[in-house]
Amino acid sequence: MSRINKNYIVRAKNLTKRFGDFTAVNQINFEVEPGEIFGFLGANGAGKTTAMRMLTGLLKATDGDAHVAGHSINGSPEKVKYSIGYMSQKFSLYDDLKVYENIRLYGGIYGLTGKQIRSKIEDILEELNMTALRNKLVRDLPLGWKQKLAFSVALVHDPAVVFLDEPTSGVDPITRRSFWELIYRAARRGVTVFVTTHYLDEAEYCDRVSIMVNGVIEALDTPQKLKEKYHARSMHEVFVHLARKEQ
Amino acid sequence: MQKTFVRIENLTKRYGEVEALRDISLDIKQGELFGIIGPDGAGKTTLMRILVTLILPDSGEAAINGREVVKDWKYLRKHIGYMPGTFSLYEDLTIEENLHFFATIFGTTKEENYDLIKEIYEHIEPFKDRKAGQLSGGMKQKLALSCALIHRPDFLVLDEPTTGIDAVSRVELWEMLGKLKDEGLTILVSTPYMDEAELCDRVAFLQDGVITEVNAPDTIKKEFDQPLYAMNSKDNYELLMGLRKMDMVRSAFLFGENIHVVTNHSYGEEELQKAVLEEAGIRANIRPIHAGIEDCFMSRMMD
Amino acid sequence: MKVLLSLIKKEFYHIIRDKRSLLILVGMPIVQVVLFGFAISNEIHEAPIAVVAPNKSQKVLRLLERIEVSSYFHIVRFLESGGQLDEVFKEGEIKLVLLIDKDFSRDLGQRKTAKLQVIADATDPNTATTLTGYIEAITNRFAREGFSPLPVGKQMPPLIDINVKMQYNPSLRSVFLFVPGIITVILLLISAMMISITLAREKEKGNMEILLVSPLNPVVIVLGKVLPYVILALVNGWSILLLGVWLFGVPIRGDLVLIFGEMLLFVLTALSLGLFISTKVQTQQAALMISLIGLMLPTIILSGFIFPIESMPLPLQFISHLIPAKWFLIILRAIMLKGATLHYVVKETIILGIICLVLLGLAVKNFKTRLE
């Protein structure tokens, strides 16, 4: 397969981050294709949050570069920010705003017109079956609903890539799955999904998975190939095998 | 059967309009590793806080080893080890300072009960001069567990110790809990991870403040009486959407590399394969499977 | 006891390792004192003054000569009358005008009270106060000279009635009064604000959950929190006191032990207040807001630290009675500046004691042994 002609939406080249003597991310390289669901796994402290923060322009790279949606994270981090959506593990909506107010706010932040925002509000509420809840304060929603809403809000400006940092942490098993259905649906529309998780069954839902250990990408392939390579029955075994080896 | 260690009767707790716990009754046996499984907001933390005497129930009773949680709170606080859901040690103190501090306030020393925490503490001892705030999630949990055990409690209560922790640290933590159980401790642990339920002696499933099931994981799995199949195809999402439209399918959920499908009747594999091809237009691999704990809980949640 | 010590040790670790609280604790008193110190200790040298003297008698000329040679003042102008005052001050050069009554010499000679008015430009209040102080000192010494002391027991009438008027800033108080004021504010800040924030922090971070689940008696938890701040507050109070004495010669006329005792009482009151606040809030932010807005501002405004209470409208005067800082300020000023003994401040001490007990009672009653 010729990789050279491929169109990559995320491409990291020798991306490195050092904090003092400590190298949190050590020369990582990878590419992500448009519409791909890319699982970004790693133990606590392996460097995945740091890498993700560099890719989203929140943190400056010490060395190397990455292109996200065609923009260099070093050269034009502001342009990167406009082409991505981000949902952090800490819930990012405003608790004391109503559901539709949150959508309107983020629409406004990303420069949507009033008309676009109004139609977005309807689209999102309909997709999430939340039309009846539009005037509810976000803090009164169950966690699972909040997470789904946060995801939709991260997509309000139709970004090319969306970064999800442990989006399903603490969510019940059914809501967790309906969240993944939302991810699939977004990917079908061509959005690239970059996701971290501690639920390793969710790693199986990804098109490709990378596993970071001590600041480097130790493995990167489809879940199927990874399992074959490490003679494992599940991604859980693959992960424990790789992450434990290093400790 | 061992004797009852924790007895919970008709416990109810309200926060304003919200009923966090509704008439909960439960027995935990001595030396048991007991799990409370349930999503966020189900009432797990409220139940645990009542048991460790941190909040008062509105009605109902609970007793640990014969001591009432409301009346005998002073006694109980000396004999319970508790690890709250959020990391609650002092982040500006080092590992060692934290451990010494908690040993002192429980009127003991690190050395006195070192045998109990030795295996856990050894993992983090090389970093003992590092401040707790700079530790990774897994290391923080080991420190918190050491501190919760330092006074050799009879009853250990852990509120979601594995949330936000990577899979390796989770495995290690459960190994430690297994060893503590062997030491004779009665352990109550809550988790949102269904696979961890399998590691408990018995589990209670808590949802919206109500316990819907209490049993050993194996029993729960055996009780699952619906026909269950694992299916996969080249495109699982497509398959999922197709299955959802079929009348014979009661539920279909993503499950790792497969989709778990519950049907309204029992079907042969070929029969089912044909139906999926006809109605959804997808060629799927299908095999009947035994339910896992997560299948059971999900089916119960939908009732 | 061992438990208490370990709680206190832990608290000191927190303080030392948190740059922010360390800055408040150490930086604040120093900054405040130095700030005031600089403002006040500006050495006065050859300040230009003007004189209105309708009758330039010999006594008047001798007084003026005395003022001129003092090196503090330089008489640059003689004015015809007081009517020119405003004009002169507005030009900005003249800092002070001395108006000498036309009967000054006669009254002084007849041992009657001689009249002298001093008007200072108090747009710079500190300079103005210092200048009038010097003038007072010089004229008083001048008056006493040449007269034999009166028989013992008979009070000497003031021979020169100096009428000092602060132009543009009539309510100005002596700078010495500021040092007790700073001490009061700092003690309150450290005690009430720090204790409420540090307790709120334990709640916010979930540490309190563990402390409560432990067999610790709540009284011990509270003591472990409070004692370190009592020590810090006292150390700070005394450092300001010493800095005040050393930097700009604030007198301590009263008994040091008494000052220490009263300071301790006030610190306990402020700590009770902080404890009470902490029982009512869940987050550090809320604790900070309440301490700052609900405590610091009323204290600075209503305690008499800056604005004299006597000149406030009645409702505010009434509220000021409820402010512990007001009573402590009265006590501290009396002891430091007037050399008062306990006898003179017993009423204020009792009031402060009652406020302290009430607040402590409220705090203990509201301190929960459980969450919620």
Side-chain angles (χ1 to χ4, degrees):
Chain A
M1 190 161 63
S2 150
R3 292 221 145 203
I4 302 145
N5 301 327
K6 272 242 167 96
N7 210 351
Y8 295 115
I9 195 80
V10 181
R11 175 171 212 166
K13 224 168 166 239
N14 296 327
L15 195 60
T16 302
K17 180 75 195 180
R18 276 185 290 270
F19 297 105
D21 295 340
F22 176 66
T23 308
V25 174
N26 194 358
Q27 302 201 344
I28 58 170
N29 293 286
F30 62 87
E31 293 97 16
V32 184
E33 293 166 28
E36 193 174 12
I37 301 175
F38 189 80
F40 202 59
L41 309 188
N44 297 117
K48 54 185 189 339
T49 305
T50 307
M52 190 122 131
R53 289 203 172 133
M54 285 192 281
L55 293 172
T56 51
L58 289 175
L59 205 61
K60 247 178 106 92
T62 315
D63 218 338
D65 196 3
H67 281 78
V68 177
H71 307 294
S72 156
I73 58 162
N74 295 331
S76 41
E78 293 313 311
K79 283 189 183 147
V80 168
K81 285 183 185 172
Y82 269 98
S83 4
I84 61 165
Y86 178 64
M87 177 185 161
S88 78
Q89 53 189 342
K90 279 188 196 119
F91 184 61
S92 50
L93 300 180
Y94 289 91
D95 253 359
D96 50 356
L97 291 186
K98 291 173 180 169
V99 169
Y100 83 93
E101 288 170 338
N102 265 295
I103 305 175
R104 193 175 65 188
L105 171 72
Y106 281 97
I109 288 175
Y110 283 102
L112 270 57
T113 64
K115 200 174 146 204
Q116 284 172 316
I117 291 176
R118 275 190 296 279
S119 87
K120 269 288 173 197
I121 292 176
E122 299 313 317
D123 291 352
I124 290 175
L125 291 178
E126 198 165 319
E127 187 179 12
L128 300 179
N129 281 325
M130 285 173 71
T131 317
L133 301 173
R134 67 182 301 144
N135 285 317
K136 260 204 176 257
L137 289 182
V138 161
R139 67 161 160 253
D140 296 330
L141 298 178
L143 179 73
W145 292 65
K146 286 186 192 172
Q147 297 296 77
K148 285 199 228 172
L149 182 62
F151 178 64
S152 301
V153 166
L155 291 174
V156 75
H157 56 299
D158 296 313
V161 192
V162 63
F163 290 86
L164 310 173
D165 194 1
E166 292 178 31
T168 53
S169 197
V171 175
D172 73 69
I174 292 186
T175 313
R176 212 150 62 74
R177 287 172 170 82
S178 54
F179 192 92
W180 270 93
E181 287 171 27
L182 280 181
I183 294 180
Y184 272 115
R185 228 176 294 165
R188 300 274 144 154
R189 291 201 304 263
V191 179
T192 306
V193 181
F194 199 94
V195 59
T196 73
T197 181
H198 286 312
Y199 292 92
L200 289 162
D201 59 325
E202 294 183 348
E204 314 261 7
Y205 308 151
C206 301
D207 294 320
R208 283 190 308 148
V209 170
S210 83
I211 298 176
M212 268 188 94
V213 181
N214 292 343
V216 297
I217 290 182
E218 194 67 36
L220 198 175
D221 216 324
T222 64
Q224 196 55 43
K225 292 225 175 89
L226 285 175
K227 281 184 280 184
E228 281 165 20
K229 184 174 173 193
Y230 294 101
H231 310 288
R233 276 167 303 165
S234 66
M235 282 304 292
H236 187 269
E237 284 179 24
V238 174
F239 181 84
V240 171
H241 171 79
L242 284 173
R244 199 166 223 181
K245 195 176 69 182
E246 286 301 316
Q247 290 185 351
Chain B
M1 197 67 204
Q2 314 103 304
K3 72 172 216 210
T4 296
F5 192 74
V6 180
R7 183 179 45 80
I8 299 167
E9 275 170 17
N10 309 108
L11 221 50
T12 297
K13 177 74 192 175
R14 241 173 260 105
Y15 290 108
E17 303 260 294
V18 187
E19 270 192 306
L21 292 179
R22 279 188 271 178
D23 206 24
I24 300 259
S25 296
L26 191 69
D27 278 349
I28 299 172
K29 310 272 180 243
Q30 177 134 40
E32 200 168 31
L33 175 52
F34 195 95
I36 297 184
I37 318 291
D40 265 34
K44 302 190 297 276
T45 301
T46 305
L47 177 59
M48 294 192 148
R49 283 182 171 171
I50 290 176
L51 289 180
V52 300
T53 78
L54 271 179
I55 56 178
L56 294 170
D58 291 327
S59 63
E61 284 176 7
I64 295 158
N65 207 5
R67 307 268 183 164
E68 297 276 336
V69 291
V70 176
K71 217 170 63 218
D72 297 329
W73 59 276
K74 279 194 177 154
Y75 173 88
L76 284 175
R77 285 183 183 185
K78 288 188 197 119
H79 296 88
I80 295 175
Y82 172 51
M83 196 168 129
T86 48
F87 181 71
S88 42
L89 304 183
Y90 294 101
E91 303 210 338
D92 52 350
L93 299 192
T94 65
I95 288 183
E96 207 175 21
E97 285 163 357
N98 264 300
L99 196 63
H100 276 299
F101 176 72
F102 284 100
T104 319
I105 66 170
F106 278 98
T108 178
T109 59
K110 178 183 140 198
E111 290 70 30
E112 200 174 317
N113 293 313
Y114 192 68
D115 59 304
L116 189 64
I117 61 162
K118 183 168 177 281
E119 270 196 64
I120 305 165
Y121 190 64
E122 271 175 355
H123 283 109
I124 50 175
E125 204 173 8
F127 313 101
K128 65 181 188 212
D129 293 325
R130 201 182 282 183
K131 293 204 183 114
Q134 296 162 354
L135 301 176
S136 71
M139 275 165 48
K140 276 185 182 171
Q141 292 307 68
K142 280 170 200 149
L143 175 60
L145 188 57
S146 304
C147 290
L149 288 168
I150 193 73
H151 57 301
R152 196 179 283 277
D154 315 323
F155 183 41
L156 182 63
V157 179
L158 307 144
D159 192 0
E160 297 207 6
T162 53
T163 295
I165 304 298
D166 67 66
V168 176
S169 301
R170 276 171 57 197
V171 170
E172 283 174 356
L173 193 93
W174 278 94
E175 285 169 1
M176 289 169 197
L177 294 187
K179 281 178 193 151
L180 290 170
K181 176 186 134 72
D182 295 339
E183 297 267 331
L185 250 77
T186 307
I187 304 171
L188 177 66
V189 56
S190 69
T191 176
Y193 292 97
M194 298 288 159
D195 53 339
E196 293 179 351
E198 310 251 10
L199 304 165
C200 301
D201 295 328
R202 285 194 307 150
V203 293
F205 186 54
L206 190 64
Q207 197 190 350
D208 293 331
V210 179
I211 290 183
T212 54
E213 165 101 44
V214 185
N215 235 320
D218 282 342
T219 317
I220 293 176
K221 285 190 280 184
K222 267 185 216 133
E223 279 173 359
F224 190 85
D225 56 359
Q226 293 161 309
L228 181 70
Y229 302 88
M231 303 189 188
N232 63 63
S233 72
K234 267 212 280 273
D235 186 337
N236 275 354
Y237 181 70
E238 205 92 329
L239 178 61
L240 183 69
M241 292 299 120
L243 288 167
R244 290 264 167 87
K245 292 198 191 89
M246 291 171 66
D247 290 332
M248 57 204 294
V249 172
R250 286 189 58 182
S251 73
F253 287 111
L254 293 165
F255 243 96
E257 56 182 342
N258 296 311
I259 294 170
H260 284 193
V261 183
V262 175
T263 53
N264 50 4
H265 299 292
S266 200
Y267 296 99
E269 288 151 65
E270 278 166 31
E271 190 183 358
L272 208 50
Q273 198 165 30
K274 213 175 117 203
V276 173
L277 186 61
E278 271 171 19
E279 289 187 44
I282 297 168
R283 182 166 297 282
N285 303 312
I286 298 176
R287 66 192 159 87
I289 50 164
H290 294 295
I293 204 92
E294 197 160 6
D295 295 300
C296 302
F297 286 131
M298 284 169 66
S299 124
R300 218 158 243 112
M301 278 181 75
M302 289 190 303
D303 292 342
Chain C
M1 197 58 214
K2 201 177 145 205
V3 174
L4 192 58
L5 275 179
S6 107
L7 276 167
I8 293 174
K9 195 168 96 186
K10 177 212 98 185
E11 204 56 41
F12 274 112
Y13 281 143
H14 288 325
I15 296 165
I16 290 164
R17 287 175 191 175
D18 180 24
K19 303 271 178 304
R20 214 171 27 163
S21 62
L22 197 64
L23 201 71
I24 294 179
L25 284 171
V26 180
M28 194 76 95
I30 295 177
V31 167
Q32 292 248 22
V33 171
V34 168
L35 225 63
F36 279 103
F38 268 120
I40 291 159
S41 69
N42 267 337
E43 197 54 46
I44 307 294
H45 188 69
E46 300 277 314
I49 64 170
V51 175
V52 181
N55 180 3
K56 291 199 185 63
S57 66
Q58 227 184 11
K59 283 211 172 81
V60 171
L61 287 177
R62 255 169 56 206
L63 173 64
L64 292 181
E65 193 183 80
R66 188 68 66 81
I67 291 171
E68 180 73 47
V69 299
S70 72
S71 89
Y72 296 121
F73 302 102
H74 177 50
I75 301 170
V76 291
R77 282 171 78 173
F78 282 91
L79 304 176
E80 295 300 316
S81 73
Q84 289 169 276
L85 268 181
D86 224 31
E87 210 180 304
V88 167
F89 278 132
K90 277 190 182 136
E91 282 169 18
E93 190 202 3
I94 304 295
K95 299 286 175 220
L96 181 141
V97 176
L98 192 62
L99 291 103
I100 301 171
D101 192 59
K102 66 177 179 355
D103 300 328
F104 183 83
S105 301
R106 195 196 68 204
D107 290 345
L108 202 60
Q110 294 171 1
R111 286 210 166 190
K112 279 209 246 158
T113 301
K115 293 193 192 71
L116 189 78
Q117 193 180 20
V118 179
I119 299 178
D121 176 359
T123 41
D124 176 0
N126 296 318
T127 311
T129 337
T130 318
L131 288 177
T132 52
Y134 286 146
I135 287 275
E136 272 184 71
I138 294 169
T139 46
N140 272 329
R141 207 177 310 138
F142 172 77
R144 245 177 271 129
E145 284 168 12
F147 298 102
S148 56
L150 290 169
V152 182
K154 215 176 172 188
Q155 187 128 33
M156 185 166 82
L159 292 168
I160 299 181
D161 174 21
I162 304 168
N163 178 352
V164 176
K165 185 174 161 205
M166 292 294 174
Q167 191 92 344
Y168 310 125
N169 184 5
S171 71
L172 181 102
R173 301 299 210 72
S174 162
V175 275
F176 288 169
L177 298 185
F178 270 92
V179 172
I182 301 169
I183 294 176
T184 309
V185 171
I186 297 277
L187 288 186
L188 191 88
L189 185 83
I190 290 169
S191 310
M193 191 162 107
M194 295 302 286
I195 198 87
S196 63
I197 290 176
T198 173
L199 268 165
R201 182 168 80 163
E202 300 246 355
K203 277 195 208 176
E204 203 176 312
K205 297 247 167 172
N207 306 133
M208 197 48 111
E209 228 172 310
I210 301 253
L211 289 186
L212 285 179
V213 169
S214 77
L216 278 187
N217 189 324
V219 175
V220 178
I221 300 181
V222 170
L223 271 182
K225 273 280 162 195
V226 164
L227 283 180
Y229 288 97
V230 171
I231 297 169
L232 278 173
L234 288 177
V235 167
N236 258 308
W238 282 97
S239 339
I240 301 169
L241 207 61
L242 292 178
L243 273 174
V245 172
W246 171 65
L247 258 182
F248 37 97
V250 177
I252 303 180
R253 302 208 170 94
D255 185 10
L256 288 179
V257 178
L258 183 59
I259 294 183
F260 184 84
E262 298 281 358
M263 220 185 239
L264 190 63
L265 178 63
F266 179 63
V267 166
L268 288 178
T269 312
L271 285 170
S272 311
L273 197 56
L275 271 180
F276 178 62
I277 292 174
S278 73
T279 60
K280 293 289 171 199
V281 298
Q282 296 298 328
T283 61
Q284 294 183 69
Q285 211 185 8
L288 185 72
M289 292 291 276
I290 291 184
S291 312
L292 268 184
I293 294 167
L295 257 176
M296 293 301 292
L297 286 181
T299 299
I300 291 175
I301 294 167
L302 293 177
S303 68
F305 172 29
I306 294 178
F307 309 108
I309 293 172
E310 309 87 64
S311 59
M312 286 177 194
L314 266 179
L316 281 185
Q317 286 198 29
F318 179 75
I319 295 174
S320 77
H321 291 330
L322 300 174
I323 303 221
K326 173 198 156 164
W327 302 108
F328 179 63
L329 199 53
I330 294 176
I331 296 171
L332 195 59
R333 281 176 176 169
I335 302 175
M336 278 175 63
L337 306 177
K338 299 184 200 155
T341 55
L342 181 60
H343 181 69
Y344 289 97
V345 290
V346 76
K347 185 187 105 191
E348 286 80 6
T349 307
I350 288 172
I351 294 174
L352 195 58
I354 291 171
I355 296 180
C356 178
L357 284 179
V358 169
L359 285 172
L360 192 64
L362 278 175
V364 169
K365 191 169 156 271
N366 280 287
F367 189 85
K368 301 210 177 61
T369 53
R370 294 192 163 84
L371 293 173
E372 281 166 292

